[in-house]
Amino acid sequence: MLAGNGLVYPVLGFASCVAFIYMSLGDLRFTFQQPKMGFVERNGTHFFVDGKPLYVNGWNSYWLMDQAVEEFSRPRVRAMLQAGAKMGLTVCRTWAFNDGSYNALQISPGHFDERVFKALDRVIVEARKHGIRLILCLVDNLHAFGGKAQYVKWAWEQGVALSSSNDSFFFDPSISKYFKTYLKTVITRKNSITGIEYRDDPTIFAWELINEPRCASDASGDTLQSAYFEELQDWIEDMATFVKSMDKNHLLTVGLEGFYGPTTPGKLSLNPGEWASEVGTDFIRNFKIPNIDFASVHVYPDHWIAGQELQDQLKFIYKWMKSHIDDGDKELRKPVLFAEFGLSNRNKNFQPSQRDTFYKAVFDIIYKSVRKNRSGAGALAWQFMAGGMEDYK
Ligand SMILES: *[C@@H]1O[C@H](CO)[C@@H](O)[C@H](O)[C@H]1NC(C)=O
Ligand SMILES: *[C@@H]1O[C@H](CO)[C@@H](O)[C@H](O)[C@H]1NC(C)=O
Ligand SMILES: *[C@@H]1O[C@H](CO)[C@@H](O)[C@H](O)[C@H]1NC(C)=O
């Protein structure tokens, strides 16, 4: 083909030759062009890549997939990942879900928008290009982008009998089925650009089952408090087993805030308030689940103990973080990632210097943990935005 065309139509011949190579190499062509990257592994209380310890300095940008859908906003994704890489950050936590909202990935149970999946494909490729790994979160307890309430609404719309509580997300069998369909679709998704299935892609640092789960958020009083703790524990075990049955490459966590629960009564006083002991989460027990590879903790003194002086908030975070690092070393034998920490500029009398002080305190605690070879694995700031996103929350 090449010789024949080449003689008569040299230009066309060259073009078709290029096209032929393009087609015959297909997906592999891109694989070769991607920077090399190993999977993140866990051994004891530390993360490793290619046999070397890995500590995490990273950030949250929940919006990457969302902004990658439409052309006008797409450049923000590259700008953010580029900026992150320039700052020396290596991990970004972001949402790999949008359930039933505008530009939904999952339009209705089991129905996905290929256009939005392609946006997520792009995010993954772009991250790899910049040497950034992604923690992909799979559903939200809160209702932005759908969340657990959207699953409950779907079940209602499909005439499935269940309690009206949004926490039925954690125990209704039909909803579990919806969520597993979603998990399977995402985890086995074949990236349209690279041809690599998500479960085989080392760009993904870890899966996170749910952001900030709380089970008892609309407790009606007719269910015992203890039942909610059991529901959430069972849900995590069930979903973790399901994810690991499909994907043995990636680490798995749950986006817990870190509140102590009934199995560790001696630690309840470390919670930011009594309320935090009653939201259905139980840090030690939840993270002891063998299929969960590392612990996640959030750090929000300005929300949790609002009104206290910065000095008191700093005292709180010191105790809060140190206690969880102790847990990682002694109780869990797993790394502890501080997956969200932040100080909102919407706080009364906010000054940037307060944020500097807060960030420094968090980094100092992590650094000390690293120096002592302890379980504190790193921290992710909440949150970074690209230019033109001033109105986003
Ligand atoms: C985990 O680390 C220990 C030493 O701390 C080592 O003996 C063991 O081989 C490691 N396991 C794996 C799977 O790398
Ligand atoms: C660090 O801790 C791990 C246990 O997670 C241990 O295997 C390793 O030997 C320790 N390394 C040093 C340098 O103490
Ligand atoms: C469930 O969540 C939705 C969305 O946040 C809310 O409108 C609704 O009132 C909640 N249902 C209950 C029973 O609290």
Side-chain angles (χ1 to χ4, degrees), residues 42-44 48:
R42 194 258 307 185
N43 186 353
F48 289 86

Side-chain angles (χ1 to χ4, degrees), residues 187-225:
I187 290 168
T188 62
R189 161 78 178 177
K190 190 173 182 178
N191 191 309
S192 61
I193 304 165
T194 63
I196 302 173
E197 284 191 11
Y198 285 6
R199 59 178 160 186
D200 295 326
D201 194 330
T203 317
I204 299 166
F205 181 108
W207 302 109
E208 185 184 275
L209 286 176
I210 180 170
N211 177 52
E212 298 194 342
R214 292 186 183 183
C215 184
S217 51
D218 44 33
S220 56
D222 55 1
T223 310
L224 281 176
Q225 187 73 32

